[in-house]
Amino acid sequence: MDVDELPPGAPGEVTGEPSDGTVDEGAARRYRAQVWGGAARSLWRPSAEGTVGGRLRALADWAEGAGLADAALDVYGDGLVEVLEERIAAELGMPAAVFFPTGTMAQQVALRCWAARTGNPVVALHPLAHPEVHEDGALVALSGLRTVHPTAAPRLPSAEEVRDHPEPFGTLMLELPLRDAGFVLPTWEELTATVGAAREREAAVHFDGARLWECPTHFGRPLAEIAGLADSVYVSFYKSLDGMSGAALAGPEELVAEARVWLHRYGGQVFQQYPAALAALRGLDTELPRLPAYVAHARVVAEALREALAGKDGPGWFRVHPEVPHTHQFQVWLPYPPDVLTAAALAQTERTGTCLFRRWFAPGPGGPPGVAVTEVTVASSGLEWTAEDVRTAVRDFLALVEG
C-alpha cells in the first residue's frame, strides 16, 4: 500500500508510518476501520467494525430476548452448536448439517469426502472460485485433489461446457454467487441445466454457498429448493448474516457423519464455540428475513451510481457490474489508481461523515492497467439512502478524486 492512501494530516502514530517512509499495513488497516466505522452514514457496516463491548452486549441482549441467555455452554459441538446445526439442515432442506469453524475447512472436507465416494480426485470448478483464489492451494496440498476448469469466462459454467469437458471429474463445485466475477449468478434454467449435465456424468454436485442466503430473490425460489439441486452445500455465517465466524456443511447423513470425523482430524473440533453459534442463530433470525430488501435496494443504489457516474462530471469510463445486481453486492470499476480512490473514500468519510466506498483494488493478474475495482454492499444501514443521496455522494467523491 502506498503512503498516499492515507488522508492528508493523518498522524504518524495512527498510521504506523515508520521513519523510512513505508506504512505499517496493520496500523493502516486499523486507521481505515476507525474512519469508516465512525461514519454517520454508510451503505454497509461490516460485523468486524465496532468494539468488543458493544458486540458482546448486542449478542447478550438478543440471547435474552430469544430465550437463550440461560442455555448451557457447548462442549465439543453439543448444546447451541447442535441447535444451530438442526436449524441449518431445516433452512436448507437437507437431512443433516455440521458446524465448522471456517468455510475453507468445510469445503476441504466436503470435496475430499466426495472424491472418496466417487473414486475420482478431480474437482471441476471455476478458476475464480474460492479454493483456487483464496486458499493457497489447500485442495492439492492437504487433500491430494486436482482441479479442472470447464470455463474461464466470468460466469459459472454452462451445461454444454460441463457436459463436453474432455477430462473425467468426480465433483462439480459451483460458487453461488461467483464473488470474484462480480457476485454473478446464472438463471434458474441455466443452473438446473448445469447440474443436470453433471448428473449425466455421474459426478457429485457441491455448492459453495457462502452467500447462498441472498440468492432466492434472483432465482425466485426458496432456499431449500436451491440447495436441493446439490448433493451438499456449504454456507457461511459472517458474510450475509452478520455473524461472528463459522460455517456449516449440509448434506446426506452419511456424508455429514464422515465430515465430523474429518472435522476432528483437521483440528476443527473446538472446545467451545457458543459465541459464534449464537451470532449465527441471531443472523438467521434477524438478517436472513431482511436480505430480499437488501437485494432490492442494491438495485436502486446501482442505478443511482450509474446515473451519477455517467453525468457531466463523471470519469468518462466506468463500469457497474452487474448492471442489475444479482445479490445485495456488486462491483464498481473506475479509471484511476486504487490508492487514489481509497484515499478519496477515506477523505470523504472524514470530511462529510458519509461512507460511500471503501477500499479499491487493482485488477487481478492480466487485468487492464490504470483501472481499479471495489465491491459495494447494501445492508440495513443502506436502506436509508435514497437515489439522490447516492448521486450526491458520488459527485462529492469524484470531486475529491479529481482534487
Side-chain angles (χ1 to χ4, degrees), residues 23-399:
V23 170
D24 180 331
E25 175 56 30
R29 179 185 59 79
R30 291 190 293 273
Y31 181 77
R32 293 191 298 266
Q34 175 186 339
V35 172
W36 288 324
R41 303 179 69 236
S42 180
L43 288 171
W44 172 57
R45 298 193 184 278
S47 59
E49 288 182 352
T51 64
V52 171
R55 186 72 173 175
L56 290 178
R57 279 191 294 272
L59 199 56
D61 289 345
W62 179 82
E64 189 74 40
L68 294 173
D70 295 325
L73 299 179
D74 63 291
V75 176
Y76 290 125
D78 65 5
L80 278 178
V81 175
E82 289 180 319
V83 172
L84 176 60
E85 290 172 344
E86 292 171 0
R87 175 76 179 272
I88 292 302
E91 292 283 355
L92 299 180
M94 290 289 190
V98 53
F99 181 86
F100 278 83
T102 72
T104 295
M105 186 185 295
Q107 296 219 118
Q108 294 288 317
V109 168
L111 294 174
R112 75 178 300 153
C113 287
W114 285 121
R117 279 166 164 69
T118 62
N120 188 327
V122 179
V123 179
L125 75 176
H126 198 281
L128 292 178
H130 196 278
E132 297 286 68
V133 180
H134 301 290
E135 297 181 17
D136 290 332
L139 279 181
V140 175
L142 298 181
S143 302
L145 304 182
R146 188 163 59 85
T147 60
V148 296
H149 305 144
T151 183
R155 53 164 175 76
L156 288 172
S158 68
E160 291 75 16
E161 290 162 339
V162 169
R163 186 179 296 112
D164 297 340
H165 188 75
E167 186 172 1
F169 53 84
T171 306
L172 173 67
M173 195 203 91
L174 299 174
E175 183 177 321
L176 300 174
L178 186 56
R179 180 260 183 100
D180 283 350
F183 305 95
V184 296
L185 290 164
T187 65
W188 179 252
E189 292 73 22
E190 290 168 340
L191 178 61
T192 55
T194 297
V195 169
R199 302 277 188 231
E200 292 174 18
R201 301 188 62 146
E202 299 183 347
V205 177
H206 171 75
F207 284 171
D208 175 341
R211 297 172 173 84
L212 190 76
W213 310 113
E214 58 206 59
C215 294
T217 299
H218 174 82
F219 288 131
R221 299 292 194 283
L223 269 172
E225 186 175 355
I226 300 169
L229 291 177
D231 297 296
S232 62
V233 179
Y234 137 68
V235 290
S236 175
F237 297 128
Y238 73 88
K239 294 181 173 69
S240 306
L241 297 184
D242 196 37
M244 184 179 297
S245 63
L249 174 64
E253 291 182 358
E254 297 83 2
L255 179 82
V256 169
E258 183 184 0
R260 290 187 188 278
V261 176
W262 283 106
L263 170 68
H264 191 189
R265 288 171 175 164
Y266 271 65
Q269 193 169 353
V270 180
F271 178 54
Q272 288 189 323
Q273 301 177 99
Y274 63 90
L278 192 63
L281 288 166
R282 178 191 181 210
L284 289 167
D285 276 358
T286 62
E287 287 299 299
L288 183 58
R290 305 187 74 183
L291 282 171
Y294 300 168
V295 176
H297 202 60
R299 295 170 179 175
V300 174
V301 171
E303 176 61 24
L305 278 167
R306 189 163 46 252
E307 291 172 357
L309 291 170
K312 62 181 180 64
D313 297 322
W317 179 91
F318 68 91
R319 188 179 185 192
V320 176
H321 177 68
E323 288 192 2
V324 178
H326 298 172
T327 72
H328 75 310
Q329 297 177 287
F330 57 93
Q331 293 177 339
V332 176
W333 293 73
L334 290 177
Y336 302 94
D339 59 330
V340 170
L341 296 174
T342 301
L346 280 165
Q348 180 175 28
T349 304
E350 288 190 315
R351 299 178 189 185
T352 69
T354 294
C355 176
L356 173 65
F357 299 121
R358 294 174 183 253
R359 289 197 71 181
W360 291 77
F361 299 90
V371 301
V373 61
T374 192
E375 295 176 346
V376 175
T377 299
V378 178
S380 60
S381 58
L383 297 179
E384 303 172 358
W385 291 53
T386 66
E388 183 55 34
D389 290 336
V390 175
R391 290 189 288 264
T392 299
V394 171
R395 290 191 291 268
D396 292 343
F397 174 74
L398 291 176

